[in-house]
């Protein structure tokens, strides 16, 4: 029997719980907030260690739901201290009368879904049971301290402190010998202040961290002025930004600019201080090379600050890219090691063997202390959620469901747990963002969901497996185009022994994430099963199936409002394509590039461009045909892709031109394709190739020419080909497949553009000719081994798939690679679409495989 029944129970009275309570009251639903502490503030209640501060400028670490807050509260510093932020939480709670809705010193122990009653039963450590329709975990991302995984951690008999559970009355270290274990944000903020008091301070460091100076001081004047002038616009900008703080991302690539320019940019950012360093260059978080450039510039600063070279070297992070573990923001951290009573123990050189009653033993020495401070971090993002014994539908426990890592839809809900919401849960931007902005967004969204259920008379809401599964895929796709997954960070769950290793937050950005959440609502709560006494509704589906970088490029192109190619003349379209190509990244360096000519089928000269690997030749040879719908492009137009293919395959790539339509219509191009094959085969040796080791490749219309040429070569008895690599080939000009319907618009190659290409190239009556539609050839047997790549969002997807199937059925060796989340053009966008790189590696591997197989035959 419940002690109380309410509409909503919220666990936690940090900023999330406070703002949610406010919104619930506005909605007029009965709500109780249950909080373990004896006051509001959440993380800012518990983390009272010396030096605890915000490291997002506090002007931005601010709730924005009420314009009155902009004037009624003023921050005293750029990065406010913990006491000031706690006062801010108390100010919010007081201003909106929230204290009366919170039960303090009340810990939730258990929450169980009662499917018959359609209610949660929530049990507290006070022995009370509350039933509610909606149960919200507003428990924060970094609220459960990790139990130190150090032998003897509970043996020390002197003073023991955890940064995350600091005594309210403070600690006086005067005259004491103090040990600090850990060098994360909490340690790096507290070490200079502990050093200022202690007689001796020894820091035990397992992994050095990057720290950027805070240059704390008065709040940023320019930001204050912008907020004073137009707070609404400023806050709106934050909501659509990448990290929840307004600002234009840089366009400077560390790899593309000169050494002097890099240094100048770095010095400018160092002088600014703080986490803006993450945006020093636009490729810091996606390119090893760019990241290492920045790492070395930061290491130079560490070496220049710390007097003792050995200590300086120990403090230089070398085991993870900058930003992949949360960078720290400090005041005098590195300089503290120059004080005579401060010492760094590098645990990589001499690990801790045990903590004793009186101190700490390492493999090198025994040290005695009066106090030990554990700054050893948190069971982040999931610890607080699975810390409550939560049981959903059919007796499923959240702990079991998440045994292999958390699964959520949007980081806010999870399958099997109706009406359970998580504020800034795993799979949402959360810890990679300004938490104030992310908290408000989640609270507003959850409020919308609760209002929807109430207003429409629904009882429950729960995500579908399909939606949740795809969200997990998308979260991983986003992480995988960055360097984040390479680090052993708490973002990956790697700091807690036994915790499943997966990237926990959503790295796609605060703005894009907000738009996704809004779109889910606009699409009728896409991916949610909503039910009530009168039935059920479910618009099941997936959100964001495009690879994130592909989506970004498409979005960028959409904002340019470019005219459709099919609205242009062929000449105009060619100029337009050439101008676009001039702006793309150049692709990797190859050993050598040689331009030349060969005779077309009609004897006229056609250009080729040869890409030679840097390794010693001779090499196998690939004749390559460019894309462009038989109308656009030339031997140079796929330059970055050809370079990439050359490097990955270690083969000579010869991009051979062919005559284009409408000037030379079908079948000129395919005859030129055959002419190119014959000429290269005859001249292999002088081109630096190995005679007889010849493959053909192409993209789109070029892949159509390659496929046809392979058939013609078979019929002509030569040249012998060891393989064919067909990237998104045209194989059937019937243009009637389902993929034309699914992907006919919006993915660069549209159905209308394909029709424009076809109309320029070939008469309707000829389109079923196997020289135009190789899929329709009567005999598909006896062809060279094929690797065919199709893309999910390509009108040509189905005909590529059909060709792979038909070749296999005809007894040929075929590998079909289906590129999830990609478009017709995205795999060729070298150094622009990072998610295409693994597929390009597969293409390189396929070419190598053709040649290796030939050698072993
Ligand atoms: O925790 P951490 P934190 N033996 O996990 C070490 C936020 N925050 O409390 O890296 C020896 O970063 C561990 O070493 P290693 C912020 O998001 C914000 O400092 O695992 N050492 C590491 O050095 C931050 O990222 C602010 O090898 C051991 C340290 O302990 C997050 O909270 C301020 C060990 C733990 O660092 C967590 O920061 C503070 C062992 N067995 C925190 N186990 C703001 O400014 C762990 N360590 C807003």
């Amino acid at each position: 029997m419940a002690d109380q029944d309410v509409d909503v129970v919220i666990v936690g009275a940090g900023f999330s719980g406070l703002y949610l309570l406010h919104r619930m009251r506005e909605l007029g639903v009965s709500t109780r907030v249950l909080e373990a502490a004896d006051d509001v503030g959440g993380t800012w209640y518990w983390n009272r260690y010396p030096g605890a501060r915000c490291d997002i400028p506090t002007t931005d670490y601010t709730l924005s739901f009420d314009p009155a807050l902009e004037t009624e509260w003023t921050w005293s510093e750029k990065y406010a201290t913990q006491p000031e932020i706690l006062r801010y939480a108390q100010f919010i709670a007081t201003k909106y009368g929230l204290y009366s809705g919170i039960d303090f010193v009340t810990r939730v122990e258990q929450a169980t879904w009662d499917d018959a009653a359609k209610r949660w039963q929530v049990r507290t450590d006070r022995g009370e049971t509350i039933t509610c329709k909606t149960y919200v975990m507003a428990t924060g991302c970094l609220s459960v301290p990790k139990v130190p995984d150090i032998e003897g951690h509970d043996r020390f008999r002197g003073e023991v402190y955890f940064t995350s559970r600091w005594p309210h009355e403070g600690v006086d270290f005067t005259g004491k010998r103090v040990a600090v274990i850990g060098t994360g944000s909490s340690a790096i903020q507290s070490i200079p202040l502990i050093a200022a008091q202690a007689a001796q301070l020894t820091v035990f460091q397992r992994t050095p961290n990057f720290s950027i100076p805070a240059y704390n001081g008065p709040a940023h004047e320019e930001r204050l002025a912008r907020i004073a002038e137009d707070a609404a616009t400023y806050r709106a900008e934050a909501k659509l930004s990448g990290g929840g703080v307004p600002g234009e991302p840089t366009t400077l690539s560390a790899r593309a600019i000169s050494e002097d320019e890099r240094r100048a940019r770095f010095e400018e950012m160092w002088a600014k201080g703080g986490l803006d360093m993450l945006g020093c260059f636009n490729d810091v978080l996606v390119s090893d090379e760019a990241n290492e450039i920045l790492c070395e510039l930061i290491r130079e600063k560490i070496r220049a600050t710390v007097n003792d070279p050995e200590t300086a070297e120990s403090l230089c992070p070398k085991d993870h890219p900058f930003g992949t573990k949360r960078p720290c923001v400090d005041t005098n951290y590195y300089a503290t090691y120059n004080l005579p009573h401060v010492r760094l123990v590098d645990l990589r050189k001499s690990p801790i063997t045990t903590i004793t009653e009186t101190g700490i033993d390492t493999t090198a020495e025994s040290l005695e202390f009066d106090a030990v401070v554990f700054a050893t971090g948190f069971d982040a993002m999931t610890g607080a959620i699975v810390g409550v014994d939560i049981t959903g539908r059919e007796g499923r426990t959240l702990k079991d469901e998440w045994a292999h890592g958390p699964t959520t839809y949007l980081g806010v809900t999870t399958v099997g747990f109706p009406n359970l919401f998580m504020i800034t849960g795993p799979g949402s931007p959360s810890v990679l963002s300004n938490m104030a902005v992310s908290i408000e967004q989640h609270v507003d969204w959850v409020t919308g969901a609760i209002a929807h259920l109430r207003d429409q008379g629904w009882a429950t809401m729960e995500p579908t497996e399909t939606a949740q599964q795809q969200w997990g895929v998308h979260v991983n796709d986003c992480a995988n185009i960055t360097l984040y997954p390479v680090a052993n960070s708490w973002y990956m769950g790697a700091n807690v022994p036994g915790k499943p290793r997966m990237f926990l937050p959503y790295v796609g950005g605060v703005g894009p994430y907000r738009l996704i959440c809004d779109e889910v609502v606009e699409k009728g709560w896409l991916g949610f099963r909503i039910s009530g006494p009168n039935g059920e509704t479910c618009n099941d589906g997936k959100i964001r199936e495009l690879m994130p970088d592909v989506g970004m490029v498409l979005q960028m192109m959409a904002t340019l409002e470019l005219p459709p190619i099919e609205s242009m003349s062929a000449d105009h379209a060619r100029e337009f394509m050439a101008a676009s190509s001039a702006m793309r990244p150049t692709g990797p360096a190859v050993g050598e590039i040689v331009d030349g000519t060969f005779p077309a089928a009609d004897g006229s000269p056609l250009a080729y461009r040869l890409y030679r690997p840097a390794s010693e030749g001779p090499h196998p040879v690939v004749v390559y045909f460019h894309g462009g719908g038989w109308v656009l492009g030339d031997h140079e137009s796929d330059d970055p892709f050809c370079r990439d293919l050359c490097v990955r395959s270690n083969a000579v790539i010869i991009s051979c031109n062919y005559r284009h339509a409408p000037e030379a219509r079908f079948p000129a191009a395919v005859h030129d394709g055959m002419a190119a094959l014959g000429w290269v085969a005859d001249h292999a040796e002088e081109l630096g190739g190995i005679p007889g080791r010849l493959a053909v490749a192409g993209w789109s219309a070029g892949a159509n020419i390659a496929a046809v040429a392979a058939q013609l070569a078979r019929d002509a008895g030569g040249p012998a080909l060891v393989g064919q690599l067909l990237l998104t080939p045209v194989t059937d000009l019937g243009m009637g497949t389902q993929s034309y319907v699914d992907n006919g618009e919006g993915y660069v190659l549209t159905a209308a553009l394909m029709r424009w290409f076809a109309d320029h190239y070939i008469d309707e009556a000829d389109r079923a000719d196997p020289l135009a539609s190789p899929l329709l050839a009567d005999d598909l047997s006896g062809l060279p081994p094929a690797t065919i790549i199709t893309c999910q969002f390509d009108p040509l997807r189905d005909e590529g798939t059909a060709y792979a199937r038909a070749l296999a059925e005809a007894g040929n060796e075929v590998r079909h690679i289906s590129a999830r989340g990609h478009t017709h053009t995205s795999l060729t966008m070298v150094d622009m679409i990072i998610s295409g790189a693994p597929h390009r590696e597969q293409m390189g591997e396929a070419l190598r495989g053709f040649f290796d197989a030939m050698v072993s035959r």
Side-chain angles (χ1 to χ4, degrees):
M1 177 71 187
D3 299 293
Q4 200 182 354
D5 181 69
V6 290
D7 292 318
V8 181
V9 164
I10 300 166
V11 190
F15 285 112
S16 307
L18 291 178
Y19 178 42
L20 191 56
L21 174 59
H22 175 66
R23 294 296 321 261
M24 291 303 102
R25 286 192 173 162
E26 279 182 339
L27 216 57
V29 297
S30 58
T31 307
R32 274 183 82 181
V33 178
L34 307 175
E35 166 60 59
D38 64 7
D39 201 350
V40 299
T43 198
W44 298 107
Y45 172 93
W46 296 106
N47 289 270
R48 297 170 186 244
Y49 58 84
R53 287 175 188 277
C54 188
D55 56 12
I56 298 279
T58 2
T59 39
D60 297 279
Y61 195 76
T62 296
L63 296 178
S64 69
F65 64 88
D66 183 353
L69 289 171
E70 304 284 359
T71 49
E72 289 180 21
W73 182 269
T74 314
W75 296 104
S76 67
E77 285 180 287
K78 179 174 165 192
Y79 299 111
T81 58
Q82 172 271 331
E84 187 172 351
I85 303 174
L86 181 57
R87 281 200 300 281
Y88 178 65
Q90 291 162 339
F91 157 75
I92 300 274
T94 307
K95 178 173 166 61
Y96 299 99
L98 303 175
Y99 274 106
S100 61
I102 306 168
D103 291 351
F104 291 105
V105 200
T106 304
R107 185 174 286 279
V108 174
E109 291 187 329
Q110 205 178 55
T112 308
W113 175 250
D114 176 348
D115 206 43
K118 306 288 179 222
R119 296 192 101 67
W120 283 95
Q121 293 182 339
V122 180
R123 230 197 43 221
T124 74
D125 61 353
R126 292 169 167 244
E128 199 186 7
T129 301
I130 307 162
T131 51
C132 58
K133 184 172 168 186
T134 304
Y135 174 65
V136 189
M137 293 295 278
T139 38
C141 298
L142 293 154
S143 39
V144 173
K146 172 186 116 156
V147 178
D149 45 339
I150 303 174
E151 171 72 25
H153 69 89
D154 50 1
R155 277 172 64 194
F156 185 66
R157 280 205 252 101
E159 299 166 38
V160 175
Y161 303 103
F162 283 79
T163 47
S164 51
R165 293 288 180 270
W166 205 255
H168 287 199
E169 60 283 7
V171 181
D172 185 1
F173 289 114
T174 308
K176 292 186 177 152
R177 296 164 303 167
V178 183
V180 172
I181 304 177
T183 47
S185 296
S186 304
I188 281 178
Q189 286 185 332
S190 56
I191 283 167
L193 291 161
I194 296 175
Q197 282 187 341
Q200 275 177 33
L201 171 61
T202 308
V203 177
F204 291 83
Q205 171 193 273
R206 187 164 65 183
T207 311
N209 242 318
F210 289 99
S211 190
I212 310 299
Y215 303 121
N216 200 15
H220 207 283
E221 268 183 32
E222 194 198 321
R223 282 178 206 232
L224 285 178
R226 281 200 58 197
I227 294 166
E229 194 190 323
D230 183 359
T233 303
Y234 185 85
R235 302 292 175 207
E237 226 179 275
K239 288 173 184 174
L240 291 177
S241 67
V245 178
E248 279 295 309
T250 183
T251 52
L252 291 177
S253 147
R255 287 170 296 171
I257 58 180
S258 71
E259 168 73 23
D260 287 351
E261 286 169 317
R262 277 179 208 148
R263 273 190 186 277
R265 167 72 179 168
F266 171 71
E267 290 297 342
E268 175 198 334
M269 298 305 281
W270 188 264
K272 238 169 128 185
L275 293 177
D276 286 356
M277 188 58 86
L278 285 164
C280 185
F281 304 111
N282 68 0
D283 40 5
V284 168
L285 290 171
V286 293
S287 151
D288 288 324
E289 191 191 335
N291 195 289
E292 181 53 26
I293 290 169
L294 181 58
C295 289
E296 200 42 38
L297 289 165
I298 300 173
R299 289 184 204 121
E300 278 181 21
K301 292 286 183 192
I302 300 172
R303 292 180 188 121
T305 309
V306 179
N307 297 339
D308 173 45
E310 196 184 335
T311 306
E313 223 36 55
S314 284
L315 286 166
C316 284
K318 289 175 194 137
D319 80 331
H320 63 278
F322 173 72
T324 57
K325 287 181 100 159
R326 175 67 146 66
C328 308
V329 177
D330 73 279
T331 301
N332 292 331
Y333 173 64
Y334 293 116
T336 298
Y337 291 96
N338 294 334
L339 297 172
H341 66 293
V342 178
R343 186 185 157 205
L344 182 77
V345 172
D346 186 340
L347 299 179
R348 300 271 159 137
K349 292 180 185 157
S350 47
I352 295 175
T353 49
T354 186
I355 297 181
T356 66
E357 281 75 12
T358 54
I360 298 175
D361 287 358
T362 69
T363 51
E365 59 192 326
S366 277
L367 297 162
E368 304 243 309
F369 297 104
D370 302 308
V372 174
V373 175
F374 288 97
T376 40
F378 299 88
D379 182 354
M381 305 217 58
T382 54
I385 300 174
V386 296
V388 173
D389 178 9
I390 302 179
T391 306
R393 265 194 303 107
E394 295 143 17
R396 304 176 185 202
T397 68
L398 195 60
K399 212 173 188 161
D400 287 347
E401 296 291 310
W402 286 12
H404 303 293
T407 45
T408 72
Y409 183 37
L410 307 174
V412 74
T413 59
T414 183
V415 170
F417 298 81
N419 297 2
L420 165 68
F421 297 98
M422 295 162 278
I423 306 298
T424 63
S428 75
S430 56
V431 293
L432 293 178
S433 69
N434 175 357
M435 285 299 271
V437 171
S438 288
I439 285 171
E440 277 195 310
Q441 187 259 337
H442 260 191
V443 167
D444 289 340
W445 193 90
V446 169
T447 303
I450 294 172
H452 177 72
L453 295 185
R454 185 195 59 179
D455 297 347
Q456 306 298 319
W458 296 114
T460 64
M461 172 173 189
E462 184 190 327
T464 66
E465 282 286 357
T466 308
Q468 174 163 292
Q469 194 268 344
Q470 171 59 27
W471 184 248
V473 167
H474 178 61
V475 169
N476 279 329
D477 286 344
C478 290
N480 288 341
I481 59 176
T482 72
L483 300 173
Y484 279 104
V486 305
N488 285 321
S489 63
W490 60 256
Y491 295 141
M492 293 293 298
N495 65 327
V496 176
K499 189 165 173 170
R501 221 189 132 98
M502 67 183 270
F503 191 69
L504 296 168
Y506 175 69
V507 71
V510 162
Y513 174 78
R514 172 183 293 269
L515 298 178
I516 289 170
C517 291
D518 292 349
E519 194 178 318
V520 163
V521 179
E522 280 155 23
K523 291 189 167 156
W525 299 93
L526 177 70
F528 282 101
R529 183 163 289 113
I530 299 177
S531 62
N534 301 325
E536 180 178 294
T537 171
C538 178
N539 178 19
D540 200 4
K542 302 176 176 184
I543 191 111
R544 292 296 176 274
E545 288 190 88
L546 277 170
M547 282 290 160
D549 45 359
V550 174
M552 262 153 58
V553 169
L554 288 177
Q555 217 173 0
M556 190 189 71
M557 288 173 74
T559 58
L560 296 176
E561 292 184 13
L562 302 168
I565 289 178
E566 62 272 22
S567 68
M568 303 177 191
S569 68
D571 281 340
H572 184 190
R574 286 168 188 158
E575 280 165 30
F576 177 80
M577 289 306 292
S580 314
S581 295
M583 290 188 290
R584 65 195 168 173
T586 50
V590 296
E592 187 189 21
I593 290 182
V594 181
D595 286 332
T597 59
F598 69 97
D602 69 353
S604 62
L606 277 173
Y608 71 78
R609 172 163 284 190
L610 179 150
Y611 303 82
R612 197 184 313 287
S615 61
E616 205 179 315
H619 299 95
V621 179
V622 179
V623 171
Y624 174 85
F625 299 113
H626 65 266
W630 308 276
V631 178
L632 313 175
D634 57 29
H635 61 298
E636 294 177 36
S637 57
D638 294 354
D639 201 66
F641 180 56
C642 287
R643 286 165 177 267
D644 194 78
L645 215 49
C646 171
V647 170
R648 292 181 194 275
S649 65
N650 197 34
V652 163
I653 307 289
I654 307 182
S655 171
C656 293
N657 208 0
Y658 44 88
R659 281 168 295 158
H660 291 103
E663 294 83 355
R665 285 168 64 88
F666 174 82
V670 283
H671 288 157
D672 289 347
M674 260 311 273
L677 272 190
W679 184 83
V680 170
D682 291 346
H683 296 80
E685 210 161 344
E686 67 209 66
L687 292 166
I690 305 170
R693 291 174 72 184
L694 181 67
V696 67
W699 168 41
S700 189
N704 167 271
I705 294 170
V708 172
Q711 293 188 12
L712 290 174
R714 172 201 60 186
D715 298 342
L721 296 172
V722 300
Q724 47 179 331
L725 175 72
L726 309 177
L727 172 59
T728 59
V730 181
T731 68
D732 180 355
L733 274 171
M735 295 188 275
T737 58
Q738 184 60 35
S739 53
Y740 264 84
V741 178
D742 296 344
N743 309 315
E745 275 178 49
Y747 304 110
V748 186
L749 179 70
T750 60
L753 179 57
M754 262 315 287
R755 279 193 290 274
W756 185 85
F757 283 142
D759 290 345
H760 278 78
Y761 178 52
I762 187 167
D763 293 343
E764 288 267 359
D766 292 334
R767 290 186 189 175
D769 185 325
L771 294 187
S773 296
L775 177 65
L776 306 183
D778 289 337
D779 179 11
L780 289 174
S781 64
L783 288 167
T787 293
I788 298 178
I789 302 97
T790 56
C791 292
Q792 185 181 359
F793 294 98
D794 180 3
L796 308 189
R797 179 194 64 204
D798 291 353
E799 64 199 78
T801 305
Y803 198 54
R805 200 179 308 120
L807 290 188
E809 280 166 6
N812 300 291
E813 215 178 286
V814 182
R815 182 173 176 209
H816 177 206
I817 298 168
S818 170
R820 180 178 59 76
H822 281 280
T823 63
H824 186 74
T825 52
S826 58
L827 293 184
T828 61
M829 298 173 99
V830 178
D831 290 339
M832 272 178 84
I833 302 286
I834 296 168
S835 60
H839 293 302
R840 287 199 302 278
E841 184 51 32
Q842 288 177 311
M843 293 186 232
E845 188 189 284
L847 289 174
R848 290 195 309 270
F850 293 152
F851 297 120
D852 290 350
M854 194 240 167
V855 171
S856 63
R857 248 180 241 137

